[in-house]
Amino acid sequence: MKNKIVLWSCFILMSLSSFSQSISSSPYSLYGVGSLYDSDFGYLPSIGSSGIALPSDTFINNLNPASLGFMYQNHFLFDIGGKAIATTYQSGSRSEKRNNFQFSHLAFAFPVTKNSGFSVSMRPYSSSVFKISNLKLPIADSQEYYYVTAQGSGGLNNLDFSYGYKFGKKLTLGATATVLFGNTVDERSFLISNSITTINKKTNYSGVRATLGAQYKIDSTFTIGSTFKVPTRVKASKIQSVTSIADEVQSSIETDQASDTDDYYMPLEIGFGVSKRFKNNLNLTLDYEKSLWGDTKQSDLYGDFVNQDRFALGFTYSSKKNARKYWDRVGYAAGINYDTGYLEVDSQRVKNASFSVGLNLPIDNTFSSLNVSYSYGQKGRIADDLIKENYHKISLNLSLDGIWFVKRKIE
């Protein structure tokens, strides 16, 4: 049974990775470096992406590096994930459906000493995959309009190195060093009166970021946690070609011109979380995060970056009546997530809300498990320059646990 679950899970996840390297086809990925997305490990997608106060004892918790201080000795954790998303896009006059299959993350973690742990993970940070036709926009200080047709691809990736250390029995501190890299490619055509200007641009990004974290066990059932993501600048450079067509005459303005461009700024982000266990089989997690995008003082041609608030609530339950019975060891989870968004278009926030349910399916008598979750959410709204997204998402995360350096007592 174990081997079949592992084999089929790996096959599905590798298939998701090979079928599509894109993360999102959201029209909101037109902004900045694309749509930011959550890459949650283990069963975190099932509990609304909450978990700042959860330890990395049975799975890798990528929300807080301090969680690595609670790793068990001799255990090597490996996590790989993928997603399938069906989205319906709605505007005032039309709707469109799209399906995406996405690779989510690849990570492993192991204890360094009896009081510390280390992890390495690779995951996308943003996706800039979009296609927009004849978007009507007003010309500033004028009663006239112009039209934009655009398509793009690419995004940024995260390579994370995390370390957590436990002081005594209750306090852990941790840090993550993140290397950000990637590029976006987009082509945009602007129709103004009878003139068409086309800009083909490839932008390369690179930068580093630090995250600090802490967790404190008030007692055996109650833990609090916090994270602090340091603001940083991601350097950018571009290669651009510009052509123009006016009165049926085409002219080249730029051809593969290399130059610096506006850097991308990541904000100060502060998070707080609590985890409370009831009667040894029901656990509650509650998170709040504040992202100060407004302080980056950056904007996009079509909108502005604004401060973001995110709330997440999750529950997990397992009966644990009889450890020998498989379904008594299965975990059940549910959660909700709401954030105010970090983009504002025509004074309208691009908000996001979702709920999720999931199962934690044990594979053997270690911490290995298959985590399956379903989420439904809505992003944006139907307005003049906004699009409403309704999405259904199935997440599949395989968490494997290997025991190192332990001699068998019975051959």
Side-chain angles (χ1 to χ4, degrees):
M1 180 67 177
K2 168 191 171 183
N3 292 335
K4 288 183 178 180
I5 293 177
V6 174
L7 179 62
W8 278 104
S9 300
C10 288
F11 174 77
I12 293 172
L13 292 171
M14 292 304 180
S15 297
L16 292 178
S17 176
S18 61
F19 271 123
S20 178
Q21 296 302 318
S22 66
I23 310 307
S24 167
S25 60
S26 169
Y28 293 113
S29 65
L30 173 73
Y31 298 87
V33 294
S35 296
L36 309 186
Y37 90 111
D38 44 281
S39 178
D40 298 327
F41 300 1
Y43 59 85
L44 295 179
S46 301
I47 54 176
S49 299
S50 60
I52 290 177
L54 290 175
S56 287
D57 51 1
T58 61
F59 77 103
I60 304 173
N61 179 6
N62 66 304
L63 299 182
N64 191 341
S67 64
L68 294 166
F70 288 114
M71 282 196 70
Y72 290 123
Q73 284 291 288
N74 302 319
H75 285 261
F76 178 93
L77 301 179
F78 174 81
D79 207 296
I80 184 172
K83 302 176 183 179
I85 303 178
T87 309
T88 300
Y89 303 95
Q90 294 177 297
S91 63
S93 59
R94 56 176 294 187
S95 65
E96 181 178 339
K97 294 183 178 181
R98 297 180 189 174
N99 298 321
N100 288 287
F101 301 94
Q102 309 170 357
F103 169 74
S104 175
H105 64 272
L106 179 68
F108 65 87
F110 54 88
V112 178
T113 67
K114 66 178 182 179
N115 292 320
S116 65
F118 177 80
S119 73
V120 177
S121 66
M122 172 68 78
R123 58 188 179 89
Y125 169 78
S126 70
S127 172
S128 182
V129 180
F130 57 88
K131 187 174 183 180
I132 297 175
S133 300
N134 297 321
L135 176 63
K136 184 180 179 180
L137 296 171
I139 298 176
D141 302 322
S142 171
Q143 299 297 319
E144 298 183 3
Y145 293 84
Y146 68 99
Y147 295 86
V148 178
T149 296
Q151 62 180 359
S153 62
L156 270 64
N157 299 296
N158 264 17
L159 177 60
D160 294 332
F161 301 91
S162 301
Y163 178 78
Y165 189 89
K166 181 171 61 175
F167 297 87
K169 296 182 178 181
K170 294 187 175 183
L171 175 65
T172 64
L173 300 178
T176 297
T178 298
V179 180
L180 292 134
F181 62 95
N183 62 70
T184 60
V185 178
D186 68 74
E187 180 178 308
R188 305 186 187 188
S189 296
F190 302 87
L191 173 61
I192 305 176
S193 298
N194 295 320
S195 174
I196 299 177
T197 300
T198 300
I199 301 175
N200 194 314
K201 179 174 63 175
K202 178 180 181 180
T203 307
N204 297 299
Y205 296 92
S206 63
V208 295
R209 192 186 198 187
T211 299
L212 305 176
Q215 288 185 345
Y216 183 79
K217 282 191 174 184
I218 295 178
D219 57 40
S220 60
T221 66
F222 188 35
T223 303
I224 59 175
S226 64
T227 56
F228 182 92
K229 296 182 179 179
V230 179
T232 190
R233 180 179 69 178
V234 181
K235 295 182 179 180
S237 62
K238 68 178 181 180
I239 299 176
Q240 180 172 285
S241 297
V242 181
T243 59
S244 177
I245 300 177
D247 298 325
E248 299 183 353
V249 177
Q250 180 173 331
S251 59
S252 178
I253 300 174
E254 288 182 1
T255 302
D256 294 334
Q257 182 69 39
S259 63
D260 293 331
T261 187
D262 292 337
D263 295 332
Y264 178 70
Y265 292 88
M266 299 174 68
L268 169 66
E269 298 181 72
I270 302 173
F272 302 95
V274 298
S275 174
K276 174 64 177 178
R277 189 173 72 251
F278 302 91
K279 295 183 179 180
N280 206 37
N281 55 7
L282 176 65
N283 198 82
L284 175 147
T285 51
L286 177 64
D287 288 0
Y288 168 74
E289 289 184 281
K290 181 79 172 184
S291 301
L292 302 179
W293 287 97
D295 289 349
T296 65
K297 303 191 184 304
Q298 60 187 337
S299 61
D300 191 271
L301 177 63
Y302 313 110
D304 297 306
F305 289 79
V306 292
N307 293 341
Q308 178 185 26
D309 297 287
R310 188 180 76 87
F311 305 87
L313 173 68
F315 297 91
T316 59
Y317 172 83
S318 60
S319 65
K320 296 182 180 179
K321 292 181 180 180
N322 188 343
R324 295 183 178 181
K325 292 184 178 181
Y326 182 81
W327 289 104
D328 281 352
R329 293 188 289 119
V330 170
Y332 305 87
I336 56 175
N337 186 294
Y338 172 78
D339 78 69
T340 60
Y342 63 95
L343 286 173
E344 190 173 80
V345 182
D346 286 345
S347 301
Q348 300 288 339
R349 289 285 190 115
V350 183
K351 300 178 181 179
N352 181 69
S354 65
F355 76 89
S356 56
V357 293
L359 293 174
N360 176 267
L361 302 172
I363 294 177
D364 57 16
N365 292 323
T366 64
F367 301 134
S368 296
S369 63
L370 176 64
N371 299 282
V372 183
S373 69
Y374 164 78
S375 303
Y376 172 76
Q378 294 183 350
K379 182 178 181 180
R381 56 180 294 182
I382 299 176
D384 291 338
D385 294 322
L386 290 180
I387 295 174
K388 183 179 180 180
E389 300 180 10
N390 295 280
Y391 58 88
H392 302 268
K393 178 172 64 177
I394 295 177
S395 299
L396 184 67
N397 291 346
L398 180 63
S399 299
L400 297 178
D401 171 35
I403 300 178
W404 286 9
F405 310 121
V406 176
K407 293 183 179 180
R408 291 180 180 269
K409 294 182 179 181
I410 303 175
E411 295 294 340

